[in-house]
Amino acid sequence: MCGIVGYIGHREAYPIIIKGLQRLEYRGYDSAGIVLYDEAGTKLAKTKGKVEDLKKKAEDTISTTGKLGLGHTRWATHGVPNDTNSHPHYSNSGNLCIIHNGIIENYESIKKELIKRGYTFTSDTDTEVLVNLIEEVKKTEDVKLGKAVQIALNQVVGAYAIAVFDVNKPDEIVVAKLGSPLAIGIGENEYFVASDASPFIEYTNNAVYLEDEEMAIIRLGKEIKLRKIKDDAIAYPNILELQLNIEEIEKGGYDHFMLKEIYEQPRAIQDTYRGRLLADQGIIRMAGIDQNLEKFLKADRIIIVACGTSWHAGLVAEYIFEDLARIPVEVEYASEFRYRNPVITEKDVLIAISQSGETADTLAAIKMAKERGAFVFGVCNVVGSSIARETHAGAYTHAGPEIGVASTKAFTTQITILSLIALKLAKEKGVMSDSKFHEYLTQLENVPAKVERALKSNDAIEEIAAVYKDSPNCLYLGRGFNFPVALEGALKLKEISYIHAEGYPAAEMKHGPIALIDEQMPVVVIATKQGHYEKVVSNIQEIKSRKGKIIAVVFEGDKVVKEIADHVIEVPETEEFLSPLLTTIPLQLLSYHIALMRGCNVDQPRNLAKSVTVE
Ligand code: F6R
């Protein structure tokens, strides 16, 4: 779970790699490193800390010239984050240099073997073992670098995206992939290598995404050669034309990516349903569903697998699918599902939800469900991601790049797409009247303007944040469609402000959490005037009578809750199943402001990474 960048061509590699690493910091940011090559040889700089720290160190300690280079931003797996464990790593001879994203699971046995043969190791990493294994193979088998990489990778167990070069042959970079993403950008007499396309998007739109168990030999002046790692068979590069745009991945005037992404939600939701929701014609058009309609209509049940925020979107979808389309749904943490020998049949449809499309547990759950005969549908944001490619069919959310580590627009766009699917299936199954269907389509079309209105509470939310920024704990309560929103609100607060927060279904409070309530405890309650409104109002009374502090999220015009809550945040009214798209907004803003006031790094919270490609 790291970011890798490589360059070989006619430009200076240093600025390309530094900027590329900054764009990939969402993948990990506990240490970083860079190696550059020019006629004088290789120059290496590595440091604990962020890419900004690396930049300072590199500019102070090495000459930053060279038209070949590799860079790495790390999320530690083996070995603490320090300078020595940072990548790139040299082989013992100093001839080979590698960057690696992933884990080599059998590195200890390989390391023991290499030590017996006289190799020494300076770091605690599995990566240093891998580069020395490649060196050993190259030496003993007397083969070129590409072949040595292929033979070595057949001896390792684990996951990797690697880039390696030989200082004696600096016109070539060898890359390989299994389980971690790797994209190659193809320019005019230049090549780029990266964990995703963002580091090279201003230089070229042409890219090849390596498949698992593929490697490529990238040589200046030659076309890239793709091979299968297992048997050395030739593979043919599928060159894609990318749609990504550079403005989309920069902050665009906001102080943080998270804030930018919160404010992008009206546009992102619209982009999600654009071309799919044709309200005036009363149609929902989604190729992935249209082409597989029978599978969905005949399914015994839908199983949703995901992690973190995407799992919360899955929980909202459970309520929506069951209520609107009358299809039984189970929502599973991918990490639990994959290891508990679940009963899966050919009559199950599995929906995997993932912003990044790279989450290791979700990917593994998909593979297992496919092996057991289920039809697997992906809901991803990142185009061409591993999950998007591994699923039988799917639908992209089109939210645009989400860089802030805390997921915001991914959540609302996932709910949008899942609502579209539920509505479509309800219509096709004949369990929803035409008039209801039309009404709901119009309501969904009105959501972006309502989100825009909800965002106007930002200043009021900032004032509430100032009151509670020092609270050590916070409770979030919601019912029905808004129970998962309570979970999501709590997750947002804890991950970026480090305040302990828990989400509960409001009625569960009296089964335990109510013991926590005292005058110090802020309780965020989603109390929209629908469904279980009166019951939630009673829950608020119960908290008030124990002196808890209530921050209530209500629909505009609410009078009852206003009378009893300490703070009220209004969002525009909508259909109950669409309300999470609105009630989520103030919770995102609340956690953003609290984190900022506590001096936390909002975009890069400690210990986290944007895409969790390890178990
Ligand atoms: C929370 C967050 C994580 C992710 C989770 C799944 O803000 O971002 O909980 O939601 O790691 O990631 P994806 O959706 O990429 O599979």
Side-chain angles (χ1 to χ4, degrees):
M1 198 157 83
C2 308
I4 63 171
V5 187
Y7 177 78
I8 185 165
H10 51 86
R11 301 174 210 255
E12 285 300 317
Y14 178 72
I16 296 171
I17 291 175
I18 291 291
K19 200 173 209 189
L21 289 178
Q22 278 163 336
R23 289 193 187 142
L24 291 179
E25 270 190 318
Y26 71 86
R27 303 182 62 82
Y29 38 79
D30 56 37
S31 53
I34 188 166
V35 69
L36 297 161
Y37 176 88
D38 67 12
E39 300 70 39
T42 57
K43 287 90 54 95
L44 179 76
K46 317 203 273 191
T47 186
K48 179 173 188 267
K50 304 231 157 86
V51 177
E52 202 47 45
D53 302 304
L54 171 68
K55 191 164 176 276
K56 279 196 204 96
K57 183 159 183 184
E59 287 166 17
D60 283 352
T61 58
I62 61 170
S63 125
T64 57
T65 56
K67 294 181 175 153
L68 163 66
L70 302 178
H72 189 271
T73 177
R74 180 166 186 250
W75 187 82
T77 54
H78 291 83
V80 294
N82 60 22
D83 294 6
T84 320
N85 288 335
S86 309
H87 301 210
H89 289 284
Y90 282 123
S91 62
N92 272 195
S93 70
N95 287 339
L96 305 187
C97 191
I98 196 169
I99 48 175
H100 169 215
N101 165 31
I103 296 181
I104 305 302
E105 289 168 12
N106 59 339
Y107 82 105
E108 287 198 56
S109 57
I110 298 172
K111 189 171 181 176
K112 273 191 197 136
E113 198 48 46
L114 288 170
I115 289 170
K116 276 192 213 150
R117 295 184 195 190
Y119 284 82
T120 56
F121 294 88
T122 51
S123 77
D124 305 319
T125 65
D126 48 347
T127 306
E128 196 187 6
V129 174
L130 179 58
V131 72
N132 281 305
L133 176 65
I134 297 169
E135 173 151 296
E136 175 65 5
V137 171
K138 190 168 179 301
K139 203 167 64 186
T140 52
E141 308 260 336
D142 192 20
V143 287
K144 291 186 179 158
L145 177 61
K147 188 71 189 164
V149 168
Q150 189 229 337
I151 297 171
L153 290 179
N154 275 304
Q155 296 176 27
V156 307
V157 178
Y160 49 79
I162 58 164
V164 52
F165 76 96
D166 183 341
V167 297
N168 298 312
K169 206 170 175 319
D171 63 341
E172 178 184 280
I173 299 177
V174 177
V175 298
K177 163 187 160 46
L178 175 63
S180 301
L182 197 145
I184 304 170
I186 304 169
E188 285 282 316
N189 204 26
E190 61 182 345
Y191 288 106
F192 306 80
V193 175
S195 301
D196 70 30
S198 62
F200 56 76
I201 197 64
E202 62 257 63
Y203 304 102
T204 178
N205 285 327
N206 296 325
V208 172
Y209 288 89
L210 284 199
E211 295 290 337
D212 274 348
E213 300 188 338
E214 274 182 2
M215 57 180 289
I217 296 168
I218 299 170
R219 194 170 299 155
L220 262 193
K222 298 267 166 59
E223 289 192 352
I224 49 173
K225 275 201 224 157
L226 248 62
R227 299 199 172 275
K228 296 284 177 197
I229 295 167
K230 270 217 172 91
D231 55 10
D232 209 21
I234 292 177
Y236 293 94
N238 176 17
I239 301 176
L240 304 174
E241 201 178 323
L242 303 174
Q243 308 286 329
L244 208 60
N245 131 9
I246 195 64
E247 285 78 46
E248 281 183 324
I249 53 177
E250 303 207 317
K251 276 192 205 141
Y254 288 90
D255 289 342
H256 297 96
F257 281 112
M258 182 182 178
L259 191 62
K260 173 182 175 239
E261 288 154 10
I262 291 173
Y263 273 86
E264 275 175 353
Q265 288 175 107
R267 199 262 315 138
I269 292 171
Q270 222 165 2
D271 285 350
T272 303
Y273 67 61
R274 195 186 305 284
R276 291 165 164 160
L277 167 62
L278 310 170
D280 48 345
Q281 298 170 45
I283 297 176
I284 292 175
R285 203 160 44 202
M286 296 178 74
I289 302 290
D290 291 329
Q291 289 156 12
N292 300 288
L293 200 54
E294 283 304 295
K295 300 249 188 247
F296 281 92
L297 296 181
K298 293 203 172 126
D300 280 347
R301 60 176 177 165
I302 291 175
I303 306 168
I304 296 179
V305 292
C307 303
T309 290
S310 296
W311 183 76
H312 295 155
L315 283 182
V316 177
E318 177 180 27
Y319 283 83
I320 298 178
F321 273 97
E322 295 204 338
D323 189 40
L324 268 50
R326 310 301 300 146
I327 302 175
V329 176
E330 283 167 32
V331 188
E332 303 267 2
Y333 280 121
S335 54
E336 286 298 311
F337 182 74
R338 64 179 289 200
Y339 283 119
R340 71 167 169 74
N341 193 17
V343 178
I344 305 172
T345 75
E346 284 163 15
K347 293 184 86 182
D348 288 327
V349 167
L350 183 128
I351 299 181
I353 309 173
S354 174
Q355 186 287 129
S356 62
E358 301 296 343
T359 301
D361 284 320
T362 310
L363 199 51
I366 290 169
K367 288 182 180 160
M368 183 180 72
K370 272 171 76 182
E371 275 163 25
R372 296 182 185 196
F375 174 74
V376 181
F377 189 89
V379 170
C380 295
N381 186 35
V382 177
V383 176
S385 55
S386 303
I387 291 176
R389 282 179 286 126
E390 190 64 43
T391 42
H392 292 118
Y396 286 116
T397 49
H398 298 311
E402 192 182 64
I403 311 289
V405 164
S407 229
T408 52
K409 62 177 178 171
F411 181 65
T412 45
T413 53
Q414 286 163 349
I415 294 173
T416 303
I417 203 117
L418 292 158
S419 302
L420 283 175
I421 297 173
L423 283 165
K424 186 166 178 73
L425 295 180
K427 175 83 187 324
E428 297 291 345
K429 277 185 75 179
V431 294
M432 183 179 286
S433 68
D434 278 356
S435 61
K436 257 277 150 301
F437 183 70
H438 278 86
E439 191 187 321
Y440 285 168
L441 296 198
T442 309
Q443 285 284 357
L444 183 49
E445 243 190 354
N446 292 338
V447 165
K450 291 183 180 181
V451 173
E452 201 79 69
R453 230 157 70 209
L455 287 165
K456 296 212 174 354
S457 300
N458 183 47
D459 292 351
I461 295 169
E462 196 175 350
E463 284 172 22
I464 300 172
V467 179
Y468 296 104
K469 69 177 174 33
D470 297 319
S471 298
N473 297 293
C474 190
L475 269 182
Y476 285 74
L477 303 178
R479 285 188 86 136
F481 295 92
N482 280 298
F483 153 53
V485 175
L487 295 180
E488 175 59 10
L491 176 63
K492 283 295 85 87
L493 186 69
K494 66 187 141 196
E495 69 181 329
I496 62 167
S497 74
Y498 319 138
I499 291 176
H500 172 243
E502 295 293 339
Y504 278 96
E508 272 296 302
M509 198 190 50
K510 48 183 140 348
H511 299 285
I514 198 163
L516 296 168
I517 306 288
D518 60 16
E519 57 278 8
Q520 310 297 334
M521 178 66 97
V523 185
V524 178
V525 187
I526 302 143
T528 47
K529 207 161 187 326
Q530 278 163 342
H532 318 282
Y533 179 69
E534 283 76 20
K535 296 191 192 307
V536 177
V537 171
S538 303
N539 296 140
I540 294 176
Q541 302 280 17
E542 288 156 14
I543 297 163
K544 278 315 299 172
S545 55
R546 285 157 184 87
K547 300 196 168 56
K549 298 281 180 284
I550 297 287
I551 304 159
V553 177
V554 299
F555 278 154
E556 284 168 353
D558 185 289
K559 291 199 175 60
V560 179
V561 176
K562 249 184 206 158
E563 289 295 310
I564 40 177
D566 297 271
H567 312 271
V568 164
I569 307 167
E570 291 189 332
V571 297
E573 186 160 357
T574 185
E575 283 304 323
E576 194 177 3
F577 79 97
L578 296 172
S579 64
L581 294 170
L582 294 158
T583 52
T584 291
I585 307 293
L587 306 194
Q588 295 171 344
L589 287 167
L590 186 66
S591 56
Y592 171 79
H593 288 298
I594 290 180
L596 209 60
M597 288 170 191
R598 288 166 69 89
C600 300
N601 185 337
V602 172
D603 280 337
Q604 295 178 338
R606 68 185 180 204
N607 304 339
L608 292 174
K610 183 73 186 157
S611 113
V612 184
T613 57
V614 292
E615 282 190 46

